[in-house]
PDB file of all heavy atoms in Angstrom:
ATOM      1  N   SER A 181       3.186  -3.843   0.579  1.00 94.00           N
ATOM      2  CA  SER A 181       2.947  -3.092  -0.701  1.00 94.00           C
ATOM      3  C   SER A 181       2.411  -1.601  -0.467  1.00 94.00           C
ATOM      4  O   SER A 181       2.735  -0.758  -1.184  1.00 94.00           O
ATOM      5  CB  SER A 181       1.768  -3.693  -1.448  1.00 94.00           C
ATOM      6  OG  SER A 181       1.746  -5.110  -1.417  1.00 94.00           O
ATOM      7  N   TYR A 182       1.677  -1.447   0.655  1.00 96.00           N
ATOM      8  CA  TYR A 182       1.108  -0.135   0.879  1.00 96.00           C
ATOM      9  C   TYR A 182       2.101   0.811   1.441  1.00 96.00           C
ATOM     10  O   TYR A 182       1.786   2.070   1.336  1.00 96.00           O
ATOM     11  CB  TYR A 182      -0.050  -0.280   1.986  1.00 96.00           C
ATOM     12  CG  TYR A 182      -1.042  -1.292   1.476  1.00 96.00           C
ATOM     13  CD1 TYR A 182      -1.222  -2.533   2.085  1.00 96.00           C
ATOM     14  CD2 TYR A 182      -1.944  -0.982   0.380  1.00 96.00           C
ATOM     15  CE1 TYR A 182      -2.095  -3.450   1.623  1.00 96.00           C
ATOM     16  CE2 TYR A 182      -2.928  -1.902  -0.031  1.00 96.00           C
ATOM     17  CZ  TYR A 182      -2.968  -3.163   0.575  1.00 96.00           C
ATOM     18  OH  TYR A 182      -3.907  -4.072   0.172  1.00 96.00           O
ATOM     19  N   GLY A 185       5.777   3.475  -0.956  1.00 95.00           N
ATOM     20  CA  GLY A 185       5.887   4.928  -1.221  1.00 95.00           C
ATOM     21  C   GLY A 185       6.405   5.684   0.023  1.00 95.00           C
ATOM     22  O   GLY A 185       7.274   6.535  -0.057  1.00 95.00           O
ATOM     23  N   ASP A 188      10.097   4.762   0.650  1.00 95.00           N
ATOM     24  CA  ASP A 188      10.971   5.416  -0.350  1.00 95.00           C
ATOM     25  C   ASP A 188      11.222   6.861  -0.003  1.00 95.00           C
ATOM     26  O   ASP A 188      12.279   7.482  -0.240  1.00 95.00           O
ATOM     27  CB  ASP A 188      10.393   5.281  -1.691  1.00 95.00           C
ATOM     28  CG  ASP A 188      10.578   3.896  -2.296  1.00 95.00           C
ATOM     29  OD1 ASP A 188      11.416   3.161  -1.743  1.00 95.00           O
ATOM     30  OD2 ASP A 188       9.830   3.607  -3.288  1.00 95.00           O
ATOM     31  N   ARG A 214      -4.154  -0.274   6.616  1.00 94.00           N
ATOM     32  CA  ARG A 214      -4.584  -0.581   5.208  1.00 94.00           C
ATOM     33  C   ARG A 214      -4.819  -2.066   4.951  1.00 94.00           C
ATOM     34  O   ARG A 214      -5.644  -2.510   4.221  1.00 94.00           O
ATOM     35  CB  ARG A 214      -3.740   0.111   4.190  1.00 94.00           C
ATOM     36  CG  ARG A 214      -3.893   1.532   4.169  1.00 94.00           C
ATOM     37  CD  ARG A 214      -5.205   1.990   3.585  1.00 94.00           C
ATOM     38  NE  ARG A 214      -5.317   3.430   3.369  1.00 94.00           N
ATOM     39  CZ  ARG A 214      -6.422   4.087   2.920  1.00 94.00           C
ATOM     40  NH1 ARG A 214      -7.444   3.250   2.480  1.00 94.00           N
ATOM     41  NH2 ARG A 214      -6.460   5.267   2.824  1.00 94.00           N
ATOM     42  N   SER A 246      -3.476  12.163  10.256  1.00 74.00           N
ATOM     43  CA  SER A 246      -4.738  12.869  10.171  1.00 74.00           C
ATOM     44  C   SER A 246      -5.915  12.134   9.538  1.00 74.00           C
ATOM     45  O   SER A 246      -7.117  12.323   9.876  1.00 74.00           O
ATOM     46  CB  SER A 246      -4.540  14.282   9.474  1.00 74.00           C
ATOM     47  OG  SER A 246      -4.348  14.075   8.137  1.00 74.00           O
TER      48      SER A 246
ATOM     49  N   THR B 161      -1.624   1.065  -4.738  1.00 91.00           N
ATOM     50  CA  THR B 161      -1.284   0.274  -3.494  1.00 91.00           C
ATOM     51  C   THR B 161       0.085   0.710  -2.869  1.00 91.00           C
ATOM     52  O   THR B 161       0.106   0.618  -1.687  1.00 91.00           O
ATOM     53  CB  THR B 161      -1.204  -1.271  -3.830  1.00 91.00           C
ATOM     54  OG1 THR B 161      -0.295  -1.468  -4.898  1.00 91.00           O
ATOM     55  CG2 THR B 161      -2.522  -1.836  -4.140  1.00 91.00           C
ATOM     56  N   TYR B 162       0.970   1.069  -3.699  1.00 94.00           N
ATOM     57  CA  TYR B 162       2.251   1.397  -3.177  1.00 94.00           C
ATOM     58  C   TYR B 162       2.350   2.744  -2.431  1.00 94.00           C
ATOM     59  O   TYR B 162       3.226   2.947  -1.622  1.00 94.00           O
ATOM     60  CB  TYR B 162       3.370   1.380  -4.195  1.00 94.00           C
ATOM     61  CG  TYR B 162       3.348   0.084  -4.970  1.00 94.00           C
ATOM     62  CD1 TYR B 162       2.882  -0.061  -6.198  1.00 94.00           C
ATOM     63  CD2 TYR B 162       3.886  -1.103  -4.351  1.00 94.00           C
ATOM     64  CE1 TYR B 162       2.870  -1.214  -6.922  1.00 94.00           C
ATOM     65  CE2 TYR B 162       3.786  -2.246  -4.991  1.00 94.00           C
ATOM     66  CZ  TYR B 162       3.290  -2.343  -6.288  1.00 94.00           C
ATOM     67  OH  TYR B 162       3.265  -3.547  -6.950  1.00 94.00           O
ATOM     68  N   GLY B 165       0.379   4.166   2.185  1.00 94.00           N
ATOM     69  CA  GLY B 165       0.962   4.572   3.377  1.00 94.00           C
ATOM     70  C   GLY B 165       1.517   6.001   3.288  1.00 94.00           C
ATOM     71  O   GLY B 165       1.315   6.881   4.232  1.00 94.00           O
ATOM     72  N   PHE B 171      -1.163  13.418   3.913  1.00 89.00           N
ATOM     73  CA  PHE B 171      -2.301  14.300   3.573  1.00 89.00           C
ATOM     74  C   PHE B 171      -2.732  15.147   4.825  1.00 89.00           C
ATOM     75  O   PHE B 171      -2.865  14.535   5.878  1.00 89.00           O
ATOM     76  CB  PHE B 171      -3.450  13.487   3.104  1.00 89.00           C
ATOM     77  CG  PHE B 171      -4.801  14.301   2.850  1.00 89.00           C
ATOM     78  CD1 PHE B 171      -4.785  15.047   1.685  1.00 89.00           C
ATOM     79  CD2 PHE B 171      -5.777  14.263   3.769  1.00 89.00           C
ATOM     80  CE1 PHE B 171      -5.907  15.851   1.512  1.00 89.00           C
ATOM     81  CE2 PHE B 171      -6.924  15.063   3.529  1.00 89.00           C
ATOM     82  CZ  PHE B 171      -6.943  15.855   2.411  1.00 89.00           C
ATOM     83  N   ARG B 194       7.723   2.395  -8.139  1.00 91.00           N
ATOM     84  CA  ARG B 194       7.527   0.966  -7.788  1.00 91.00           C
ATOM     85  C   ARG B 194       6.749   0.123  -8.709  1.00 91.00           C
ATOM     86  O   ARG B 194       6.837  -1.038  -8.745  1.00 91.00           O
ATOM     87  CB  ARG B 194       6.949   0.937  -6.388  1.00 91.00           C
ATOM     88  CG  ARG B 194       7.865   1.420  -5.264  1.00 91.00           C
ATOM     89  CD  ARG B 194       8.918   0.353  -4.996  1.00 91.00           C
ATOM     90  NE  ARG B 194       9.861   0.703  -4.042  1.00 91.00           N
ATOM     91  CZ  ARG B 194      10.877  -0.065  -3.549  1.00 91.00           C
ATOM     92  NH1 ARG B 194      11.053  -1.201  -4.088  1.00 91.00           N
ATOM     93  NH2 ARG B 194      11.673   0.399  -2.636  1.00 91.00           N
TER      94      ARG B 194
END
Side-chain angles (χ1 to χ4, degrees):
Chain A
S181 324
Y182 304 105
D188 284 345
R214 286 289 181 180
S246 69
Chain B
T161 50
Y162 304 106
F171 176 74
R194 287 289 181 178

